[in-house]
Each structure stands twice: as structure tokens, then as C-alpha cells.
Amino acid sequence: MTDILVLGGGYTGIAAAIRVAVRTRRIGGKVRLVNASPRFTERLRLHQTAAGETLADHALEEVLAGTGVEFVQGRVVALDAGRHEVRLDGGRVLGYDKLIYALGTATDDSVPGVADHAYTYDDYQSAVRLSERLDGLMSGTVVVAGGGLTGVESAAELAENRPHLHVVLVTRGRPGAMMGPGARAYLDATLARLGVEVRSGADITKVLPDAVELTGGELIESDATLWTTGTKGLPVAGRSGLTVDSRGRIVVDSALRSVSHPDVYAVGDAAAVSQPFGVLHGTCQGGIPTGLHAADSLAATLRGRTPKPFRFGYIHQPVSLGRKDAAIQFTRPDDSPRRARLTGRAAVVYKETVTSSPMVTFKLLKRGLVPVWVFALTAGLK
């Protein structure tokens, strides 16, 4: 019996747990999944939660039902990779033969005041706390820090759902800078239509209880500040003895095994996964394929086979602009923009299909199937 422990019950961890359970069932695999919360958090929808929308609740035990995966609720506080042990809050210690690390990342709170005064999307409750804060405001200003897709989605969602509040999007570059000129122009026009004030080329140096401070000392008053500017690996990875990169992500080889501890596989945002075009950035688009590949690599190793190298290519940058609008930038495998894009109603349908796809993916994985979109992403399409 091989004891396989999966840490993290997000998109990537669930996909990895179901896949490895299916792939090792006949060779004596015992799979346990550890997560701090008993519910599955749809991180792709946290901006909707922050805006006050009520979303479907997915219990992890229900998501995992019929897979043979045992769910263990608990927060991971320490990992001893040498002794093959994981310690949870409350003192429980879990041993393992093979480990899949899918704990994701946390908000980079290195800017002064972020940890004390900013709201984040580190978990579902963080988004709920922001929503509750906004519920108590009859008027005021919300500052969204960060012009990436998460920041843009949040600014648009908040402006649409809470029109009595003034939303200010603050970004070092420009919103959606990674997208092509056509998609960026559409994004700019939509934010303007929704009444979002965009402060491009601005750098926040400090978050205060009631404002953010920019380089040069300018203050923007803020009744609530949402921080979406970047992430870093959880401290548990860096303290474990595993080799991590400058952002605290576990460095892995082509089979997604830790380069320092090959019995540990790291996936999703928590892993520094290298491809010919660079290191993958953290998205669901890349996360689920890494989870599936790690599961396949682990199963192959248990059978005495050589795992295949991981291959991946991006296909799109989807961004919702409230519930009634969206923009989709299609990309080359290295995530650079192609000319093709979708906007408006067609983009809304496309984005909702993407956002809903993980639940469909989990159901297919239970049957031993892999969705077509995963094949596309991992084929390195040109």
C-alpha cells in the first residue's frame, strides 16, 4: 500500500487527488486530501463573492464522493520532507510515502500596511469580509490595487454591483497590459463605462487604514482597499527544506517532482514550473494540467516507468467585466497575444464556460477521462 497525501483542496489539488486515485487504484494507492476548509473555494469567482453575490456551495466530501479519496480537514502548519511527515493545526501528524503539494500561494504583503489594512483573496472568508465591509458603506471609495486580470475583474464587478461606491483601480502599468491592443482598448472603454477611475503608472508605497499612499506622498482616500498585485509561496514550503525560488515556490523537474526531494510533487501556483518560454504564472489554466501531470508522473513511477516531461501552452486570457461584459484575448503558447479576441456577449458566454469547467472536469476525471481543453493546453499547440 502506497500512502499518497495531497495538500490543498483547490482546483489543482482536487484534480491531482482524483487523477492519482484513479491511476493507482489497481496498484494499492491510498489517497488522502488535506484542506483547511470543508468547502471547495471557486477562486475564479471570489470577485463575485466580494461584490455581494451568493454562489453555489460545494462541500469537498461531495466533490470527492465515489473517488476513494479520503478527506482530512486541517490547516497544514509544517512539512518535514526528510521524515515524510505533515503536521496540522491541533497537533495531528500525517505520514506519507508520496506527497503532492498543492497549497497554492498567498498575497504578497511586503508593502507596508497591506497585512494590517488591505483585503485579499487568500481564501473564501477573505472575500466575504470585504463584501461585509462594503455592505456597511452607503457611499465612499474602494481602491483596487493591481492592474492584472484579477484586479480588473474585481474593479468591474464592484463598480457594477455597488454603483453607489467610487472604485479606483491603481496600477503600475496599465490595466490588462498583457493583452493585445484591441482587447485593452475594449477593457479601458468598459471600465470607463462602469465609472471606474483608473490610475495608471502609479505605485502604492503604503496602505493606511483610510487611504493608500503613492510614490511622492500623494494620498488616495479609501474606505476599503483590495490588494491583488502579486503572490508568494506559503512559508511552510520554504521552512520544509524543499528547494524554493525567490517567490517561495517549490522548484520542480520536468516530471513536476521537487528537485531536492523527489518523493514530493508540487503543482499549480505553489510550483515553479519551467517551460521553454519561461516559468508558468499562477492560473487555473495552468494549474489543473500540472495537477494531472503530477498524478500521472507519480503513478508511472510506482509502476517502475519513466514519467513523461510536462508540456504546456497557454491559449487565452479571459477576463470578466461584470456579469454583462467580458473580453477574451487568445494567445500563443507563451502567453503573448494573438490578433484574435472576443468581446461582449460572446465573451461572457465563453468566460462563464471557462469558469464553470473545473466542476465538469472533476466529474470526467472520476470516470477516468480527461477533458479536451487539457489536451489542448498540454500539447504545446503552436
Side-chain angles (χ1 to χ4, degrees), residues 79 81 96 99-101 237 240-244 249-267 270-272 294:
L79 165 62
Y96 65 86
L99 180 78
I100 299 179
Y101 185 105
S240 68
L242 298 167
T243 297
V244 298
R249 298 174 298 181
I250 298 170
V251 181
V252 296
D253 63 13
S254 63
L256 305 185
R257 296 172 297 205
S258 161
V259 296
S260 59
H261 295 76
D263 285 331
V264 175
Y265 296 75
V267 295

Side-chain angles (χ1 to χ4, degrees), residues 144 146-157 159 169-171 173-200 317-322 325-329 341-344 347 351:
V144 178
L149 300 188
T150 301
V152 169
E153 288 192 325
S154 298
E157 199 81 37
L169 179 62
V170 182
T171 172
R174 60 170 297 178
M178 73 294 294
M179 306 178 90
R184 287 200 308 268
Y186 189 86
L187 186 152
D188 290 342
T190 304
L191 291 177
R193 173 176 59 79
L194 291 170
V196 176
E197 178 186 349
V198 177
R199 293 291 302 270
S200 298
Q317 298 163 350
V319 56
S320 60
L321 300 170
D325 212 340
I328 313 297
Q329 174 67 67
R341 66 182 187 276
L342 277 180
T343 57
K351 179 61 166 65

Side-chain angles (χ1 to χ4, degrees), residues 9-20 40 44 100 102 256 266-269 273 280-296 310-312 314 354-365 369-371 373-375 377-378:
Y11 298 108
T12 305
I14 293 174
I18 296 174
R19 180 74 163 182
V20 79
F40 165 56
L44 292 176
I100 299 179
L256 305 185
V267 295
D269 298 1
V273 181
L280 299 188
H281 56 75
T283 64
C284 181
Q285 184 178 181
I288 289 179
T290 63
L292 300 183
H293 190 86
D296 290 349
F310 179 68
R311 296 179 63 205
F312 177 86
Y314 295 100
V354 169
T355 302
S356 303
S357 66
M359 296 305 297
V360 177
T361 296
F362 300 153
K363 292 178 181 179
L364 291 173
L365 290 174
L369 304 175
V370 178
W373 70 267
V374 174
F375 280 119
L377 290 167
T378 56

Side-chain angles (χ1 to χ4, degrees), residues 92-289:
R92 183 178 180 183
V93 176
L94 303 175
Y96 65 86
D97 298 311
K98 301 288 184 180
L99 180 78
I100 299 179
Y101 185 105
L103 288 176
T105 55
T107 299
D108 185 347
D109 58 4
S110 56
V111 171
V114 171
D116 296 323
H117 306 303
Y119 293 88
T120 68
Y121 286 154
D122 282 344
D123 53 34
Y124 173 74
Q125 288 304 321
S126 298
V128 170
R129 284 192 290 272
L130 174 56
S131 179
E132 291 173 344
R133 167 59 178 162
L134 300 182
D135 285 343
L137 297 176
M138 300 302 294
S139 62
T141 298
V142 181
V143 170
V144 178
L149 300 188
T150 301
V152 169
E153 288 192 325
S154 298
E157 199 81 37
L158 293 174
E160 181 181 84
N161 280 271
R162 301 178 185 271
H164 59 288
L165 299 177
H166 179 49
V167 179
V168 182
L169 179 62
V170 182
T171 172
R172 289 177 178 174
R174 60 170 297 178
M178 73 294 294
M179 306 178 90
R184 287 200 308 268
Y186 189 86
L187 186 152
D188 290 342
T190 304
L191 291 177
R193 173 176 59 79
L194 291 170
V196 176
E197 178 186 349
V198 177
R199 293 291 302 270
S200 298
D203 193 9
I204 298 175
T205 58
K206 185 184 296 185
V207 178
L208 303 171
D210 55 359
V212 296
E213 182 178 311
L214 307 184
T215 300
E218 179 187 355
L219 295 179
I220 300 176
E221 293 185 2
S222 177
D223 296 281
T225 298
L226 172 63
W227 199 260
T228 72
T229 65
T231 60
K232 60 183 179 180
L234 299 178
V236 66
R239 293 195 297 256
S240 68
L242 298 167
T243 297
V244 298
D245 69 359
S246 60
R247 289 178 50 193
R249 298 174 298 181
I250 298 170
V251 181
V252 296
D253 63 13
S254 63
L256 305 185
R257 296 172 297 205
S258 161
V259 296
S260 59
H261 295 76
D263 285 331
V264 175
Y265 296 75
V267 295
D269 298 1
V273 181
S274 294
Q275 292 291 279
F277 51 81
V279 179
L280 299 188
H281 56 75
T283 64
C284 181
Q285 184 178 181
I288 289 179

Side-chain angles (χ1 to χ4, degrees), residues 76-88:
V76 176
V77 296
L79 165 62
D80 189 328
R83 298 183 63 176
H84 285 208
E85 290 182 344
V86 171
R87 182 162 56 88
L88 308 181

Side-chain angles (χ1 to χ4, degrees), residues 294-324:
D296 290 349
S297 293
L298 195 162
T301 300
L302 293 180
R303 289 185 168 88
R305 301 171 184 170
T306 301
K308 296 179 180 179
F310 179 68
R311 296 179 63 205
F312 177 86
Y314 295 100
I315 60 174
H316 59 203
Q317 298 163 350
V319 56
S320 60
L321 300 170
R323 294 297 87 207
K324 302 175 183 178

